[in-house]
Amino acid sequence: MPMNTNSTYVKEEPMLFINNLDLRGSTCDGPGVRNVIFFQGCDRHCPGCHNAGTWNTEEGHQMSVGELVSVIDENTPLRRVTISGGEPLLQFDALMRLVKVLHEKDYDIAVYTGNSLEDVDPELFQYIDYIKVGDFQMDKRTTTKPYVGSTNQDFIKLHD
């Protein structure tokens, strides 16, 4: 780790691997009009996944958390963001830094994961407003349950 002039350790800013940013405004990735950040990398490979291009962990665009926050700030006037993927929890340390910064800026934050609620580190819950949990299952595909792709998935509001 690099040292500054006072000989104390300086923590480097975490880097994220991003597949894409949807800054057009989505109404199907959580309540209200939201911008969506698609993280790169997923180890689930659910049959029928609509984001299979996010699976490869060797692809994507590398950005620092600060760079991404700047882009979000410039393009998200309604302050609603959904973090999807891929699987965002594969980049947990950088994800936590991102949601902490966005939380401090009063963003409404949703995180999509294929994990079960029990498998998500509860520290994440204090910084986000919603979480979508559960892997996509093609035989349970739905277009009527809001904000999810299959009926086994849940979209949960964490705070009132």
Side-chain angles (χ1 to χ4, degrees), residues 63-100:
M63 298 179 82
S64 71
V65 170
E67 290 170 324
L68 181 56
V69 169
S70 292
V71 172
I72 293 168
D73 281 344
E74 291 172 17
N75 294 282
T76 312
L78 298 176
R79 303 185 88 66
R80 294 186 198 114
V81 174
T82 295
I83 301 167
S84 190
E87 175 53 63
L89 298 185
L90 290 179
Q91 300 182 58
F92 189 76
D93 291 342
L95 171 66
M96 284 302 297
R97 178 70 184 132
L98 176 63
V99 298
K100 286 176 182 179

PDB file of all heavy atoms in Angstrom, residues 63-100:
ATOM      1  N   MET A  63     -13.569   1.287 -13.479  1.00  0.00           N
ATOM      2  CA  MET A  63     -13.766   2.660 -13.010  1.00  0.00           C
ATOM      3  C   MET A  63     -13.526   2.699 -11.513  1.00  0.00           C
ATOM      4  O   MET A  63     -13.853   1.748 -10.810  1.00  0.00           O
ATOM      5  CB  MET A  63     -15.207   3.133 -13.239  1.00  0.00           C
ATOM      6  CG  MET A  63     -15.677   3.197 -14.653  1.00  0.00           C
ATOM      7  SD  MET A  63     -17.406   3.757 -14.729  1.00  0.00           S
ATOM      8  CE  MET A  63     -17.172   5.515 -14.594  1.00  0.00           C
ATOM      9  N   SER A  64     -13.032   3.814 -11.037  1.00  0.00           N
ATOM     10  CA  SER A  64     -12.956   3.985  -9.587  1.00  0.00           C
ATOM     11  C   SER A  64     -14.353   4.338  -9.076  1.00  0.00           C
ATOM     12  O   SER A  64     -15.209   4.811  -9.838  1.00  0.00           O
ATOM     13  CB  SER A  64     -11.972   5.092  -9.222  1.00  0.00           C
ATOM     14  OG  SER A  64     -12.505   6.359  -9.574  1.00  0.00           O
ATOM     15  N   VAL A  65     -14.577   4.139  -7.813  1.00  0.00           N
ATOM     16  CA  VAL A  65     -15.850   4.518  -7.212  1.00  0.00           C
ATOM     17  C   VAL A  65     -16.085   6.012  -7.408  1.00  0.00           C
ATOM     18  O   VAL A  65     -17.178   6.448  -7.763  1.00  0.00           O
ATOM     19  CB  VAL A  65     -15.900   4.122  -5.718  1.00  0.00           C
ATOM     20  CG1 VAL A  65     -17.104   4.735  -5.025  1.00  0.00           C
ATOM     21  CG2 VAL A  65     -15.909   2.609  -5.578  1.00  0.00           C
ATOM     22  N   GLY A  66     -15.054   6.828  -7.225  1.00  0.00           N
ATOM     23  CA  GLY A  66     -15.182   8.273  -7.402  1.00  0.00           C
ATOM     24  C   GLY A  66     -15.588   8.657  -8.818  1.00  0.00           C
ATOM     25  O   GLY A  66     -16.432   9.536  -9.008  1.00  0.00           O
ATOM     26  N   GLU A  67     -14.985   8.001  -9.816  1.00  0.00           N
ATOM     27  CA  GLU A  67     -15.353   8.272 -11.216  1.00  0.00           C
ATOM     28  C   GLU A  67     -16.812   7.924 -11.461  1.00  0.00           C
ATOM     29  O   GLU A  67     -17.547   8.685 -12.097  1.00  0.00           O
ATOM     30  CB  GLU A  67     -14.474   7.457 -12.168  1.00  0.00           C
ATOM     31  CG  GLU A  67     -13.039   7.899 -12.234  1.00  0.00           C
ATOM     32  CD  GLU A  67     -12.159   6.922 -12.998  1.00  0.00           C
ATOM     33  OE1 GLU A  67     -12.369   5.685 -12.926  1.00  0.00           O
ATOM     34  OE2 GLU A  67     -11.230   7.408 -13.666  1.00  0.00           O
ATOM     35  N   LEU A  68     -17.235   6.773 -10.954  1.00  0.00           N
ATOM     36  CA  LEU A  68     -18.619   6.348 -11.156  1.00  0.00           C
ATOM     37  C   LEU A  68     -19.588   7.289 -10.455  1.00  0.00           C
ATOM     38  O   LEU A  68     -20.615   7.670 -11.026  1.00  0.00           O
ATOM     39  CB  LEU A  68     -18.812   4.909 -10.673  1.00  0.00           C
ATOM     40  CG  LEU A  68     -20.214   4.332 -10.847  1.00  0.00           C
ATOM     41  CD1 LEU A  68     -20.686   4.399 -12.301  1.00  0.00           C
ATOM     42  CD2 LEU A  68     -20.251   2.893 -10.325  1.00  0.00           C
ATOM     43  N   VAL A  69     -19.277   7.700  -9.252  1.00  0.00           N
ATOM     44  CA  VAL A  69     -20.149   8.632  -8.527  1.00  0.00           C
ATOM     45  C   VAL A  69     -20.270   9.948  -9.288  1.00  0.00           C
ATOM     46  O   VAL A  69     -21.361  10.520  -9.377  1.00  0.00           O
ATOM     47  CB  VAL A  69     -19.648   8.861  -7.077  1.00  0.00           C
ATOM     48  CG1 VAL A  69     -20.370  10.021  -6.416  1.00  0.00           C
ATOM     49  CG2 VAL A  69     -19.829   7.584  -6.250  1.00  0.00           C
ATOM     50  N   SER A  70     -19.191  10.420  -9.878  1.00  0.00           N
ATOM     51  CA  SER A  70     -19.253  11.656 -10.674  1.00  0.00           C
ATOM     52  C   SER A  70     -20.214  11.511 -11.851  1.00  0.00           C
ATOM     53  O   SER A  70     -21.020  12.403 -12.124  1.00  0.00           O
ATOM     54  CB  SER A  70     -17.868  12.040 -11.190  1.00  0.00           C
ATOM     55  OG  SER A  70     -17.048  12.436 -10.127  1.00  0.00           O
ATOM     56  N   VAL A  71     -20.136  10.380 -12.551  1.00  0.00           N
ATOM     57  CA  VAL A  71     -21.044  10.133 -13.676  1.00  0.00           C
ATOM     58  C   VAL A  71     -22.487  10.056 -13.182  1.00  0.00           C
ATOM     59  O   VAL A  71     -23.400  10.636 -13.784  1.00  0.00           O
ATOM     60  CB  VAL A  71     -20.648   8.845 -14.426  1.00  0.00           C
ATOM     61  CG1 VAL A  71     -21.701   8.472 -15.473  1.00  0.00           C
ATOM     62  CG2 VAL A  71     -19.281   8.991 -15.074  1.00  0.00           C
ATOM     63  N   ILE A  72     -22.703   9.385 -12.080  1.00  0.00           N
ATOM     64  CA  ILE A  72     -24.051   9.253 -11.519  1.00  0.00           C
ATOM     65  C   ILE A  72     -24.581  10.630 -11.130  1.00  0.00           C
ATOM     66  O   ILE A  72     -25.717  10.988 -11.465  1.00  0.00           O
ATOM     67  CB  ILE A  72     -24.058   8.289 -10.312  1.00  0.00           C
ATOM     68  CG1 ILE A  72     -23.758   6.865 -10.774  1.00  0.00           C
ATOM     69  CG2 ILE A  72     -25.389   8.349  -9.575  1.00  0.00           C
ATOM     70  CD1 ILE A  72     -23.448   5.909  -9.641  1.00  0.00           C
ATOM     71  N   ASP A  73     -23.781  11.410 -10.412  1.00  0.00           N
ATOM     72  CA  ASP A  73     -24.209  12.747  -9.990  1.00  0.00           C
ATOM     73  C   ASP A  73     -24.608  13.622 -11.180  1.00  0.00           C
ATOM     74  O   ASP A  73     -25.604  14.341 -11.127  1.00  0.00           O
ATOM     75  CB  ASP A  73     -23.105  13.450  -9.198  1.00  0.00           C
ATOM     76  CG  ASP A  73     -22.998  12.987  -7.754  1.00  0.00           C
ATOM     77  OD1 ASP A  73     -23.938  12.344  -7.247  1.00  0.00           O
ATOM     78  OD2 ASP A  73     -21.964  13.292  -7.133  1.00  0.00           O
ATOM     79  N   GLU A  74     -23.844  13.550 -12.255  1.00  0.00           N
ATOM     80  CA  GLU A  74     -24.103  14.389 -13.433  1.00  0.00           C
ATOM     81  C   GLU A  74     -25.346  13.967 -14.211  1.00  0.00           C
ATOM     82  O   GLU A  74     -25.922  14.774 -14.939  1.00  0.00           O
ATOM     83  CB  GLU A  74     -22.895  14.351 -14.381  1.00  0.00           C
ATOM     84  CG  GLU A  74     -21.675  15.047 -13.845  1.00  0.00           C
ATOM     85  CD  GLU A  74     -20.444  14.821 -14.713  1.00  0.00           C
ATOM     86  OE1 GLU A  74     -20.587  14.406 -15.885  1.00  0.00           O
ATOM     87  OE2 GLU A  74     -19.326  15.048 -14.218  1.00  0.00           O
ATOM     88  N   ASN A  75     -25.755  12.695 -14.068  1.00  0.00           N
ATOM     89  CA  ASN A  75     -26.803  12.152 -14.933  1.00  0.00           C
ATOM     90  C   ASN A  75     -28.025  11.623 -14.201  1.00  0.00           C
ATOM     91  O   ASN A  75     -28.876  10.975 -14.820  1.00  0.00           O
ATOM     92  CB  ASN A  75     -26.208  11.025 -15.786  1.00  0.00           C
ATOM     93  CG  ASN A  75     -25.174  11.526 -16.749  1.00  0.00           C
ATOM     94  OD1 ASN A  75     -25.505  12.092 -17.782  1.00  0.00           O
ATOM     95  ND2 ASN A  75     -23.896  11.361 -16.409  1.00  0.00           N
ATOM     96  N   THR A  76     -28.136  11.867 -12.907  1.00  0.00           N
ATOM     97  CA  THR A  76     -29.228  11.284 -12.138  1.00  0.00           C
ATOM     98  C   THR A  76     -29.932  12.365 -11.314  1.00  0.00           C
ATOM     99  O   THR A  76     -29.793  12.417 -10.087  1.00  0.00           O
ATOM    100  CB  THR A  76     -28.694  10.153 -11.222  1.00  0.00           C
ATOM    101  OG1 THR A  76     -27.859   9.295 -11.994  1.00  0.00           O
ATOM    102  CG2 THR A  76     -29.836   9.327 -10.644  1.00  0.00           C
ATOM    103  N   PRO A  77     -30.706  13.233 -11.975  1.00  0.00           N
ATOM    104  CA  PRO A  77     -31.345  14.332 -11.246  1.00  0.00           C
ATOM    105  C   PRO A  77     -32.389  13.868 -10.226  1.00  0.00           C
ATOM    106  O   PRO A  77     -32.615  14.547  -9.231  1.00  0.00           O
ATOM    107  CB  PRO A  77     -31.988  15.164 -12.357  1.00  0.00           C
ATOM    108  CG  PRO A  77     -32.121  14.244 -13.512  1.00  0.00           C
ATOM    109  CD  PRO A  77     -31.002  13.265 -13.402  1.00  0.00           C
ATOM    110  N   LEU A  78     -32.996  12.703 -10.447  1.00  0.00           N
ATOM    111  CA  LEU A  78     -34.013  12.212  -9.513  1.00  0.00           C
ATOM    112  C   LEU A  78     -33.413  11.429  -8.344  1.00  0.00           C
ATOM    113  O   LEU A  78     -34.127  11.012  -7.440  1.00  0.00           O
ATOM    114  CB  LEU A  78     -35.042  11.349 -10.257  1.00  0.00           C
ATOM    115  CG  LEU A  78     -35.813  12.092 -11.344  1.00  0.00           C
ATOM    116  CD1 LEU A  78     -36.737  11.131 -12.095  1.00  0.00           C
ATOM    117  CD2 LEU A  78     -36.599  13.250 -10.757  1.00  0.00           C
ATOM    118  N   ARG A  79     -32.100  11.201  -8.379  1.00  0.00           N
ATOM    119  CA  ARG A  79     -31.358  10.563  -7.285  1.00  0.00           C
ATOM    120  C   ARG A  79     -31.873   9.162  -6.937  1.00  0.00           C
ATOM    121  O   ARG A  79     -31.927   8.771  -5.781  1.00  0.00           O
ATOM    122  CB  ARG A  79     -31.320  11.469  -6.060  1.00  0.00           C
ATOM    123  CG  ARG A  79     -30.707  12.835  -6.408  1.00  0.00           C
ATOM    124  CD  ARG A  79     -30.534  13.724  -5.238  1.00  0.00           C
ATOM    125  NE  ARG A  79     -29.285  13.563  -4.533  1.00  0.00           N
ATOM    126  CZ  ARG A  79     -28.074  13.845  -4.991  1.00  0.00           C
ATOM    127  NH1 ARG A  79     -27.934  14.280  -6.203  1.00  0.00           N
ATOM    128  NH2 ARG A  79     -27.006  13.702  -4.246  1.00  0.00           N
ATOM    129  N   ARG A  80     -32.242   8.410  -7.995  1.00  0.00           N
ATOM    130  CA  ARG A  80     -32.644   7.004  -7.833  1.00  0.00           C
ATOM    131  C   ARG A  80     -31.726   6.143  -8.688  1.00  0.00           C
ATOM    132  O   ARG A  80     -31.608   6.366  -9.887  1.00  0.00           O
ATOM    133  CB  ARG A  80     -34.090   6.796  -8.280  1.00  0.00           C
ATOM    134  CG  ARG A  80     -35.092   7.506  -7.428  1.00  0.00           C
ATOM    135  CD  ARG A  80     -36.509   7.123  -7.862  1.00  0.00           C
ATOM    136  NE  ARG A  80     -37.454   8.088  -7.353  1.00  0.00           N
ATOM    137  CZ  ARG A  80     -38.170   8.914  -8.100  1.00  0.00           C
ATOM    138  NH1 ARG A  80     -38.079   8.871  -9.421  1.00  0.00           N
ATOM    139  NH2 ARG A  80     -38.989   9.771  -7.548  1.00  0.00           N
ATOM    140  N   VAL A  81     -31.104   5.133  -8.052  1.00  0.00           N
ATOM    141  CA  VAL A  81     -30.133   4.288  -8.735  1.00  0.00           C
ATOM    142  C   VAL A  81     -30.411   2.832  -8.399  1.00  0.00           C
ATOM    143  O   VAL A  81     -30.680   2.494  -7.240  1.00  0.00           O
ATOM    144  CB  VAL A  81     -28.695   4.653  -8.300  1.00  0.00           C
ATOM    145  CG1 VAL A  81     -27.689   3.691  -8.875  1.00  0.00           C
ATOM    146  CG2 VAL A  81     -28.353   6.072  -8.678  1.00  0.00           C
ATOM    147  N   THR A  82     -30.319   1.982  -9.422  1.00  0.00           N
ATOM    148  CA  THR A  82     -30.364   0.535  -9.219  1.00  0.00           C
ATOM    149  C   THR A  82     -29.026  -0.037  -9.640  1.00  0.00           C
ATOM    150  O   THR A  82     -28.508   0.281 -10.709  1.00  0.00           O
ATOM    151  CB  THR A  82     -31.498  -0.107 -10.030  1.00  0.00           C
ATOM    152  OG1 THR A  82     -32.750   0.384  -9.534  1.00  0.00           O
ATOM    153  CG2 THR A  82     -31.482  -1.624  -9.909  1.00  0.00           C
ATOM    154  N   ILE A  83     -28.470  -0.886  -8.775  1.00  0.00           N
ATOM    155  CA  ILE A  83     -27.205  -1.561  -9.055  1.00  0.00           C
ATOM    156  C   ILE A  83     -27.546  -3.005  -9.363  1.00  0.00           C
ATOM    157  O   ILE A  83     -28.107  -3.717  -8.534  1.00  0.00           O
ATOM    158  CB  ILE A  83     -26.247  -1.450  -7.860  1.00  0.00           C
ATOM    159  CG1 ILE A  83     -25.982   0.030  -7.537  1.00  0.00           C
ATOM    160  CG2 ILE A  83     -24.960  -2.221  -8.135  1.00  0.00           C
ATOM    161  CD1 ILE A  83     -25.309   0.275  -6.213  1.00  0.00           C
ATOM    162  N   SER A  84     -27.246  -3.418 -10.579  1.00  0.00           N
ATOM    163  CA  SER A  84     -27.610  -4.735 -11.069  1.00  0.00           C
ATOM    164  C   SER A  84     -26.373  -5.412 -11.619  1.00  0.00           C
ATOM    165  O   SER A  84     -25.259  -5.037 -11.303  1.00  0.00           O
ATOM    166  CB  SER A  84     -28.709  -4.568 -12.134  1.00  0.00           C
ATOM    167  OG  SER A  84     -29.273  -5.806 -12.501  1.00  0.00           O
ATOM    168  N   GLY A  85     -26.570  -6.392 -12.452  1.00  0.00           N
ATOM    169  CA  GLY A  85     -25.411  -7.072 -12.994  1.00  0.00           C
ATOM    170  C   GLY A  85     -25.761  -7.915 -14.186  1.00  0.00           C
ATOM    171  O   GLY A  85     -26.769  -7.683 -14.817  1.00  0.00           O
ATOM    172  N   GLY A  86     -24.932  -8.868 -14.203  1.00  0.00           N
ATOM    173  CA  GLY A  86     -23.971  -9.522 -13.371  1.00  0.00           C
ATOM    174  C   GLY A  86     -24.466  -9.695 -11.927  1.00  0.00           C
ATOM    175  O   GLY A  86     -25.641  -9.674 -11.625  1.00  0.00           O
ATOM    176  N   GLU A  87     -23.486  -9.924 -11.095  1.00  0.00           N
ATOM    177  CA  GLU A  87     -23.728 -10.123  -9.662  1.00  0.00           C
ATOM    178  C   GLU A  87     -22.914  -9.105  -8.880  1.00  0.00           C
ATOM    179  O   GLU A  87     -21.710  -9.278  -8.683  1.00  0.00           O
ATOM    180  CB  GLU A  87     -23.359 -11.546  -9.247  1.00  0.00           C
ATOM    181  CG  GLU A  87     -23.459 -11.818  -7.763  1.00  0.00           C
ATOM    182  CD  GLU A  87     -24.808 -11.453  -7.182  1.00  0.00           C
ATOM    183  OE1 GLU A  87     -25.824 -12.057  -7.572  1.00  0.00           O
ATOM    184  OE2 GLU A  87     -24.855 -10.536  -6.325  1.00  0.00           O
ATOM    185  N   PRO A  88     -23.565  -8.024  -8.411  1.00  0.00           N
ATOM    186  CA  PRO A  88     -22.843  -6.970  -7.693  1.00  0.00           C
ATOM    187  C   PRO A  88     -22.089  -7.448  -6.453  1.00  0.00           C
ATOM    188  O   PRO A  88     -21.052  -6.894  -6.115  1.00  0.00           O
ATOM    189  CB  PRO A  88     -23.945  -5.976  -7.303  1.00  0.00           C
ATOM    190  CG  PRO A  88     -25.039  -6.222  -8.273  1.00  0.00           C
ATOM    191  CD  PRO A  88     -24.969  -7.690  -8.602  1.00  0.00           C
ATOM    192  N   LEU A  89     -22.582  -8.495  -5.801  1.00  0.00           N
ATOM    193  CA  LEU A  89     -21.932  -8.932  -4.564  1.00  0.00           C
ATOM    194  C   LEU A  89     -20.564  -9.563  -4.803  1.00  0.00           C
ATOM    195  O   LEU A  89     -19.778  -9.711  -3.869  1.00  0.00           O
ATOM    196  CB  LEU A  89     -22.831  -9.897  -3.798  1.00  0.00           C
ATOM    197  CG  LEU A  89     -24.177  -9.328  -3.340  1.00  0.00           C
ATOM    198  CD1 LEU A  89     -24.931 -10.327  -2.495  1.00  0.00           C
ATOM    199  CD2 LEU A  89     -24.011  -8.009  -2.604  1.00  0.00           C
ATOM    200  N   LEU A  90     -20.243  -9.886  -6.074  1.00  0.00           N
ATOM    201  CA  LEU A  90     -18.904 -10.396  -6.378  1.00  0.00           C
ATOM    202  C   LEU A  90     -17.841  -9.305  -6.205  1.00  0.00           C
ATOM    203  O   LEU A  90     -16.664  -9.604  -6.081  1.00  0.00           O
ATOM    204  CB  LEU A  90     -18.839 -10.960  -7.797  1.00  0.00           C
ATOM    205  CG  LEU A  90     -19.593 -12.260  -8.041  1.00  0.00           C
ATOM    206  CD1 LEU A  90     -19.457 -12.682  -9.501  1.00  0.00           C
ATOM    207  CD2 LEU A  90     -19.111 -13.369  -7.115  1.00  0.00           C
ATOM    208  N   GLN A  91     -18.275  -8.064  -6.223  1.00  0.00           N
ATOM    209  CA  GLN A  91     -17.374  -6.922  -6.020  1.00  0.00           C
ATOM    210  C   GLN A  91     -17.772  -6.216  -4.713  1.00  0.00           C
ATOM    211  O   GLN A  91     -17.962  -5.011  -4.667  1.00  0.00           O
ATOM    212  CB  GLN A  91     -17.469  -5.961  -7.209  1.00  0.00           C
ATOM    213  CG  GLN A  91     -17.093  -6.580  -8.531  1.00  0.00           C
ATOM    214  CD  GLN A  91     -17.151  -5.590  -9.667  1.00  0.00           C
ATOM    215  OE1 GLN A  91     -16.474  -4.558  -9.635  1.00  0.00           O
ATOM    216  NE2 GLN A  91     -17.955  -5.884 -10.675  1.00  0.00           N
ATOM    217  N   PHE A  92     -17.889  -6.989  -3.652  1.00  0.00           N
ATOM    218  CA  PHE A  92     -18.510  -6.505  -2.425  1.00  0.00           C
ATOM    219  C   PHE A  92     -17.827  -5.278  -1.826  1.00  0.00           C
ATOM    220  O   PHE A  92     -18.502  -4.332  -1.429  1.00  0.00           O
ATOM    221  CB  PHE A  92     -18.594  -7.619  -1.380  1.00  0.00           C
ATOM    222  CG  PHE A  92     -19.415  -7.220  -0.192  1.00  0.00           C
ATOM    223  CD1 PHE A  92     -20.793  -7.179  -0.275  1.00  0.00           C
ATOM    224  CD2 PHE A  92     -18.815  -6.865   1.004  1.00  0.00           C
ATOM    225  CE1 PHE A  92     -21.567  -6.793   0.816  1.00  0.00           C
ATOM    226  CE2 PHE A  92     -19.577  -6.471   2.096  1.00  0.00           C
ATOM    227  CZ  PHE A  92     -20.961  -6.443   1.997  1.00  0.00           C
ATOM    228  N   ASP A  93     -16.513  -5.262  -1.722  1.00  0.00           N
ATOM    229  CA  ASP A  93     -15.834  -4.125  -1.092  1.00  0.00           C
ATOM    230  C   ASP A  93     -16.097  -2.830  -1.862  1.00  0.00           C
ATOM    231  O   ASP A  93     -16.409  -1.794  -1.270  1.00  0.00           O
ATOM    232  CB  ASP A  93     -14.334  -4.367  -0.974  1.00  0.00           C
ATOM    233  CG  ASP A  93     -13.998  -5.460   0.031  1.00  0.00           C
ATOM    234  OD1 ASP A  93     -14.862  -5.789   0.873  1.00  0.00           O
ATOM    235  OD2 ASP A  93     -12.874  -5.996  -0.027  1.00  0.00           O
ATOM    236  N   ALA A  94     -15.985  -2.886  -3.182  1.00  0.00           N
ATOM    237  CA  ALA A  94     -16.244  -1.693  -3.996  1.00  0.00           C
ATOM    238  C   ALA A  94     -17.730  -1.337  -3.967  1.00  0.00           C
ATOM    239  O   ALA A  94     -18.086  -0.154  -3.923  1.00  0.00           O
ATOM    240  CB  ALA A  94     -15.764  -1.919  -5.422  1.00  0.00           C
ATOM    241  N   LEU A  95     -18.596  -2.348  -3.973  1.00  0.00           N
ATOM    242  CA  LEU A  95     -20.036  -2.093  -3.860  1.00  0.00           C
ATOM    243  C   LEU A  95     -20.349  -1.360  -2.569  1.00  0.00           C
ATOM    244  O   LEU A  95     -21.106  -0.380  -2.564  1.00  0.00           O
ATOM    245  CB  LEU A  95     -20.813  -3.410  -3.923  1.00  0.00           C
ATOM    246  CG  LEU A  95     -22.306  -3.319  -3.607  1.00  0.00           C
ATOM    247  CD1 LEU A  95     -23.064  -2.508  -4.655  1.00  0.00           C
ATOM    248  CD2 LEU A  95     -22.906  -4.726  -3.465  1.00  0.00           C
ATOM    249  N   MET A  96     -19.766  -1.809  -1.468  1.00  0.00           N
ATOM    250  CA  MET A  96     -20.018  -1.156  -0.180  1.00  0.00           C
ATOM    251  C   MET A  96     -19.542   0.290  -0.196  1.00  0.00           C
ATOM    252  O   MET A  96     -20.226   1.180   0.307  1.00  0.00           O
ATOM    253  CB  MET A  96     -19.339  -1.928   0.960  1.00  0.00           C
ATOM    254  CG  MET A  96     -20.066  -3.199   1.358  1.00  0.00           C
ATOM    255  SD  MET A  96     -21.780  -2.929   1.888  1.00  0.00           S
ATOM    256  CE  MET A  96     -21.537  -1.918   3.335  1.00  0.00           C
ATOM    257  N   ARG A  97     -18.390   0.538  -0.770  1.00  0.00           N
ATOM    258  CA  ARG A  97     -17.902   1.922  -0.846  1.00  0.00           C
ATOM    259  C   ARG A  97     -18.857   2.770  -1.682  1.00  0.00           C
ATOM    260  O   ARG A  97     -19.187   3.894  -1.309  1.00  0.00           O
ATOM    261  CB  ARG A  97     -16.489   1.936  -1.447  1.00  0.00           C
ATOM    262  CG  ARG A  97     -15.945   3.316  -1.613  1.00  0.00           C
ATOM    263  CD  ARG A  97     -15.624   3.962  -0.261  1.00  0.00           C
ATOM    264  NE  ARG A  97     -15.191   5.325  -0.496  1.00  0.00           N
ATOM    265  CZ  ARG A  97     -15.665   6.380   0.169  1.00  0.00           C
ATOM    266  NH1 ARG A  97     -16.536   6.224   1.139  1.00  0.00           N
ATOM    267  NH2 ARG A  97     -15.240   7.583  -0.107  1.00  0.00           N
ATOM    268  N   LEU A  98     -19.323   2.228  -2.809  1.00  0.00           N
ATOM    269  CA  LEU A  98     -20.246   2.951  -3.681  1.00  0.00           C
ATOM    270  C   LEU A  98     -21.552   3.267  -2.964  1.00  0.00           C
ATOM    271  O   LEU A  98     -22.004   4.419  -2.967  1.00  0.00           O
ATOM    272  CB  LEU A  98     -20.519   2.139  -4.947  1.00  0.00           C
ATOM    273  CG  LEU A  98     -21.551   2.732  -5.911  1.00  0.00           C
ATOM    274  CD1 LEU A  98     -21.094   4.075  -6.457  1.00  0.00           C
ATOM    275  CD2 LEU A  98     -21.831   1.730  -7.038  1.00  0.00           C
ATOM    276  N   VAL A  99     -22.164   2.289  -2.314  1.00  0.00           N
ATOM    277  CA  VAL A  99     -23.461   2.550  -1.675  1.00  0.00           C
ATOM    278  C   VAL A  99     -23.317   3.486  -0.477  1.00  0.00           C
ATOM    279  O   VAL A  99     -24.222   4.272  -0.207  1.00  0.00           O
ATOM    280  CB  VAL A  99     -24.232   1.254  -1.309  1.00  0.00           C
ATOM    281  CG1 VAL A  99     -24.561   0.452  -2.558  1.00  0.00           C
ATOM    282  CG2 VAL A  99     -23.512   0.418  -0.278  1.00  0.00           C
ATOM    283  N   LYS A 100     -22.196   3.427   0.217  1.00  0.00           N
ATOM    284  CA  LYS A 100     -21.980   4.359   1.327  1.00  0.00           C
ATOM    285  C   LYS A 100     -21.919   5.795   0.823  1.00  0.00           C
ATOM    286  O   LYS A 100     -22.525   6.700   1.410  1.00  0.00           O
ATOM    287  CB  LYS A 100     -20.704   4.008   2.091  1.00  0.00           C
ATOM    288  CG  LYS A 100     -20.837   2.783   2.973  1.00  0.00           C
ATOM    289  CD  LYS A 100     -19.522   2.431   3.638  1.00  0.00           C
ATOM    290  CE  LYS A 100     -19.643   1.184   4.490  1.00  0.00           C
ATOM    291  NZ  LYS A 100     -18.365   0.813   5.125  1.00  0.00           N
TER     292      LYS A 100
END
